[in-house]
């Protein structure tokens, strides 16, 4: 009898369900189910079958956001920093290469034993000659990836994928004061979109590039411009793969992101790095004060940093210059002003590589 008591007491404790455990298990299971649904949609797209848009309900979004993706991403980041034994590096990296189709022939260092941990492998640099920067066109792709959407911004709404939009103002946040921008005489329009357009006759354009886990994870300057301001939005870290982007409206507004704004020769220009699951770390090379996925920042807020007040000329960036990096695949959104004759040289869904043309005048 005593032996039974000794054995049954711990079992009861082990299987005692708590609300947090139920929430995590339910949310995690639902996220897994969504991943499977996304896979089925990708297969239909490959066969050329058009998939109707089916948006998530409020409770589905709330359930997904209940999964502690920020905590899991921080744990994943620490795991990535663990140095692997030399004998284990090749098997681990080879499995990743096979799973995500990584082309190691493009890497500056092809020897897998060189990378001490997963983080170094994710952030591998490329050989200079494999990504020539287009000199003819005015805007190039800042990264490798897949074009999810592009075109003109209309009615203050931006398409994250075809048929699914998000609010321009929610994504970028309130307009930055003109004192912090080079074009201080920008006209004050009636709408948020009109306020961003600084020159008469110009339009606002956007382009969304999704970086898969197997892609090159660094991103570069898409044109010659000056970065005047950085705005960091702490937020969720939901997946940003095309299936989820088609399912959750305003997905990019929910997720953690870093918005860089400034100007180029045609007016307003911005580049936004959007975080995702396991991509809590977004690094901007010239911004040492930026710390993403930090417990000290709460969701729903944002913090600003001006490069004009600390550096009177802002941060000049040349087309193709190294700008930042993700720790895994994620998304980059470009929103910029250009004359009405600006044309994109793209197709939705196409693969693109850093240095290739996005569009020109």
């Amino acid at each position: 009898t005593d032996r039974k008591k000794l054995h049954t007491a711990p079992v009861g404790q082990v299987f005692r369900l708590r609300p947090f455990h139920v929430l995590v298990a339910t949310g995690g299971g639902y996220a897994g189910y969504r991943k499977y649904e996304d896979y089925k949609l990708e297969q239909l797209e490959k066969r050329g079958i058009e998939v109707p848009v089916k948006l998530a309900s409020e409770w589905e979004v709330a359930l997904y956001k209940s999964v502690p993706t920020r905590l899991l991403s921080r744990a994943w980041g620490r795991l990535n920093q663990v140095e692997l034994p030399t004998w284990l590096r090749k098997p681990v990296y080879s499995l990743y290469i096979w799973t995500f189709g990584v082309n190691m022939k493009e890497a500056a260092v092809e020897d897998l034993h060189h990378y001490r941990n997963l983080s170094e492998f994710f952030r591998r640099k490329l050989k200079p000659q494999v990504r020539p920067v287009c000199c003819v066109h005015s805007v190039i792709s800042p990264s490798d990836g897949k074009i999810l959407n592009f075109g003109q911004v209309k009615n203050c709404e931006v398409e994250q994928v075809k048929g699914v939009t998000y609010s321009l103002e929610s994504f970028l946040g309130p307009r930055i004061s003109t004192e912090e921008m080079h074009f201080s005489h920008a006209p004050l329009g009636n709408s948020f979109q009109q306020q961003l357009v600084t020159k008469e006759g110009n339009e606002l354009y956007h382009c969304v590039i999704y970086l898969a886990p197997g892609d090159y994870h660094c991103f570069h300057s898409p044109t010659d411009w000056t970065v005047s301001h950085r705005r960091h939005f702490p937020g969720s870290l939901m997946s940003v793969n095309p299936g989820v982007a088609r399912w959750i409206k305003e997905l990019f507004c929910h997720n953690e992101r870093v918005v860089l704004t400034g100007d180029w020769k045609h007016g307003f220009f911005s580049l936004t790095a959007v975080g995702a699951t396991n991509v809590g770390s977004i690094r901007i090379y010239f911004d040492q004060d930026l710390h993403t996925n930090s417990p000290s920042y709460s969701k729903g807020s944002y913090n600003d940093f001006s490069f004009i007040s600390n550096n009177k000329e802002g941060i000049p960036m040349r087309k193709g210059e190294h700008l930042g990096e993700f720790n895994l695949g994620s998304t980059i959104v470009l929103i910029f002003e250009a004359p009405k004759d600006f044309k994109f040289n793209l197709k939705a869904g196409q693969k693109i590589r850093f240095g290739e043309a996005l569009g020109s005048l």
Side-chain angles (χ1 to χ4, degrees):
T1 306
D2 291 341
R3 199 178 306 159
K4 274 187 179 178
K5 289 180 179 178
L6 288 171
H7 283 288
T8 55
V11 171
Q13 293 175 6
V14 170
F15 288 99
R16 187 180 298 160
L17 294 176
R18 298 179 180 177
F20 176 76
H21 297 153
V22 174
L23 194 62
V24 171
T26 305
Y30 192 76
Y33 166 74
R34 288 306 315 173
K35 286 281 188 181
Y36 174 68
E37 290 294 311
D38 296 339
Y39 170 77
K40 291 198 299 184
L41 290 176
E42 288 178 6
Q43 296 306 308
L44 291 174
E45 285 184 342
K46 288 180 180 179
R47 292 161 55 187
I49 300 174
E50 187 172 347
V51 181
V53 174
K54 184 180 179 181
L55 294 177
S57 62
E58 289 186 11
W59 74 264
E60 287 177 310
V61 176
L63 182 60
Y64 191 1
K65 292 175 73 173
S66 71
V67 179
T69 50
R70 288 168 61 86
L71 180 62
L72 293 172
S73 296
R74 283 196 290 271
W76 177 255
R78 289 175 183 172
L79 180 63
N80 287 351
Q81 300 292 336
V82 176
E83 185 169 341
L84 297 175
T86 305
W87 62 269
L88 190 58
R89 294 174 189 177
K90 188 171 183 179
V92 170
Y93 301 147
S94 295
L95 177 62
Y96 187 92
I97 290 168
W98 177 78
T99 303
F100 296 108
V102 179
N103 185 1
M104 283 304 293
K105 291 183 178 179
E106 296 179 337
V109 180
E110 296 183 41
D111 182 12
L112 298 180
H113 296 100
H114 169 80
Y115 303 100
R116 295 174 298 175
N117 51 49
L118 284 165
S119 182
E120 286 189 2
F121 179 72
F122 292 147
R123 296 181 287 107
R124 64 192 176 276
K125 298 298 187 288
L126 298 181
K127 296 171 182 173
Q129 64 272 20
V130 300
R131 294 289 187 276
V133 175
C134 177
C135 299
V136 178
H137 296 82
S138 55
V139 184
I140 62 168
S141 176
S143 66
D144 290 4
K146 179 181 180 180
I147 302 294
L148 293 191
N149 216 305
F150 63 92
Q152 282 190 19
V153 177
K154 297 179 180 178
N155 301 320
C156 295
E157 292 280 323
V158 186
E159 281 194 320
Q160 57 191 26
V161 294
K162 185 178 180 180
V164 182
T165 63
Y166 56 94
S167 163
L168 179 65
E169 186 169 6
S170 297
F171 182 68
L172 296 179
R175 186 169 182 259
I176 300 161
S177 62
T178 55
E179 288 77 9
E180 298 182 34
M181 308 297 285
H182 282 297
F183 40 89
S184 57
H185 300 292
L188 188 64
N190 296 324
S191 68
F192 183 80
Q193 178 178 336
Q194 291 172 332
Q195 291 175 30
L196 295 180
V197 178
T198 65
K199 298 180 181 179
E200 188 176 352
N202 281 1
E203 297 287 348
L204 208 60
Y205 298 86
H206 74 99
C207 182
V208 183
I209 305 170
Y210 166 69
L211 289 74
D215 287 327
Y216 167 57
H217 300 315
C218 296
F219 51 93
H220 301 246
S221 176
T223 192
D224 295 334
W225 65 307
T226 300
V227 183
S228 304
H229 189 272
R230 178 259 291 163
R231 176 169 285 162
H232 171 218
F233 289 86
S236 301
L237 288 172
M238 295 184 282
S239 172
V240 292
N241 74 54
V244 177
R246 187 185 295 106
W247 180 55
I248 297 180
K249 182 179 173 64
E250 299 205 333
L251 171 65
F252 299 156
C253 298
H254 290 296
N255 271 16
E256 182 151 9
R257 59 198 182 278
V258 177
V259 182
L260 299 178
T261 54
D263 67 301
W264 68 320
K265 60 183 178 181
H266 299 296
F268 174 80
F269 198 97
S270 73
L271 180 149
T272 302
V274 183
T277 309
N278 296 336
V279 197
S281 175
I282 302 170
R283 182 182 173 195
I284 304 297
Y285 293 138
F286 58 74
D287 190 353
Q288 301 302 315
D289 295 321
L290 175 66
H291 301 286
T292 57
N293 194 16
S294 171
S296 60
Y297 295 126
S298 59
K299 295 180 185 178
S301 62
Y302 64 85
N303 52 85
D304 289 343
F305 186 87
S306 173
F307 298 109
I308 295 295
S309 59
N310 291 274
N311 181 337
K312 292 185 179 180
E313 298 300 322
I315 308 294
M317 297 296 302
R318 303 294 296 174
K319 184 167 64 175
E321 185 178 351
H322 277 86
L323 183 54
E325 63 188 34
F326 296 109
N327 268 353
L328 205 63
S330 196
T331 297
I332 288 178
V333 180
L334 301 179
I335 297 175
F336 57 94
E337 149 184 24
K340 291 182 178 179
D341 56 351
F342 180 86
K343 300 293 183 183
F344 283 103
N345 304 318
L346 303 171
K347 292 182 180 179
Q350 78 170 70
K351 293 287 291 183
I352 198 165
R353 304 202 302 178
F354 155 61
E356 295 180 343
L358 289 182
S360 63
L361 298 168

